Amino acid sequence: MDVYGKRMIDSGLPMPDDKSGEFDVMGLPQIFSREPVLKGKISESILLEISLPRSEYEELGRGVTNDFIIFGSFGILLVLMTGTILSWHIARPLTELAHFSTRIASGDLNLKVRSDREDEIGLLHSNFQKMIDGLLIERNQKESRMSELKTLFEISNAVNHITESE
């Protein structure tokens, strides 16, 4: 009889301290698993024991494997789609800004950085264009000031030349 006194068992029951294993019930292999569900402080823990015929256990294992493959494939597809979307919407505009910054660093300030986006990347584009415009204004002011200083220098040289010859 089993521990419940309900059926005959060909071989002896597994030891109570075994967590999992296999035994025969009337010639049919059974897979079992025991886990403590209520840990006792004063008395022994209550164990939950589940046993299935080997064929059902193997079928359950195949089902879990198939589910894992399906959900794993779905997860991989989801990761690829998310990566692609992030690449389109975040990485590409940031790469464009990096390209613009390289051109500006080489002295090309005749760029128009525009974006129709209203998010942080659109704000970056807008602020980038404001910086370019500010640099252009400053460069034009310095060129104008340099032209004025050059003219004053030429006048000064001319006046000095005239006074020396007299």
Side-chain angles (χ1 to χ4, degrees), residues 87-115:
S87 175
W88 286 340
H89 293 288
I90 295 174
R92 187 174 43 96
L94 291 177
T95 302
E96 289 174 2
L97 282 175
H99 176 71
F100 288 137
S101 69
T102 302
R103 288 180 56 190
I104 289 170
S106 67
D108 182 10
L109 296 179
N110 298 319
L111 299 173
K112 294 296 177 200
V113 180
R114 299 281 184 240
S115 176

Side-chain angles (χ1 to χ4, degrees), residues 23-38:
F23 63 95
D24 286 338
V25 175
M26 296 173 28
L28 298 172
Q30 300 278 320
I31 306 292
F32 77 92
S33 176
R34 283 191 191 110
E35 291 293 328
V37 288
L38 293 174

Side-chain angles (χ1 to χ4, degrees), residues 6 10 27 34-35 41 55 66 68 76 97 102 104 107 111 117 122-123 129 133 136 154 156 166:
K6 296 190 177 182
D10 292 343
R34 283 191 191 110
E35 291 293 328
K41 292 184 180 179
S55 60
N66 290 340
F68 181 76
I76 290 171
L97 282 175
T102 302
I104 289 170
L111 299 173
R117 295 174 63 143
L123 182 62
Q129 185 60 50
D133 294 342
L136 276 171
E154 289 172 356
S156 172
E166 289 179 359

Side-chain angles (χ1 to χ4, degrees), residues 14-58:
M15 297 302 292
D17 50 341
D18 288 345
K19 287 201 150 251
S20 62
E22 187 174 330
F23 63 95
D24 286 338
V25 175
M26 296 173 28
L28 298 172
Q30 300 278 320
I31 306 292
F32 77 92
S33 176
R34 283 191 191 110
E35 291 293 328
V37 288
L38 293 174
K39 301 210 184 245
K41 292 184 180 179
I42 300 173
S43 62
E44 291 184 30
S45 298
I46 295 176
L47 294 176
L48 174 65
E49 180 178 309
I50 298 174
S51 66
L52 293 171
R54 176 176 277 291
S55 60
E56 289 181 29
Y57 179 79
E58 289 171 351

Side-chain angles (χ1 to χ4, degrees), residues 4 20-21 78 115 137-138 160:
Y4 308 108
S20 62
L78 187 62
S115 176
I137 291 169
E138 189 173 328
N160 282 338

Side-chain angles (χ1 to χ4, degrees), residues 133-147:
D133 294 342
L135 287 171
L136 276 171
I137 291 169
E138 189 173 328
R139 183 174 74 178
N140 291 339
Q141 287 175 345
K142 286 183 180 185
E143 286 175 353
S144 174
R145 184 71 178 144
M146 286 297 293
S147 176

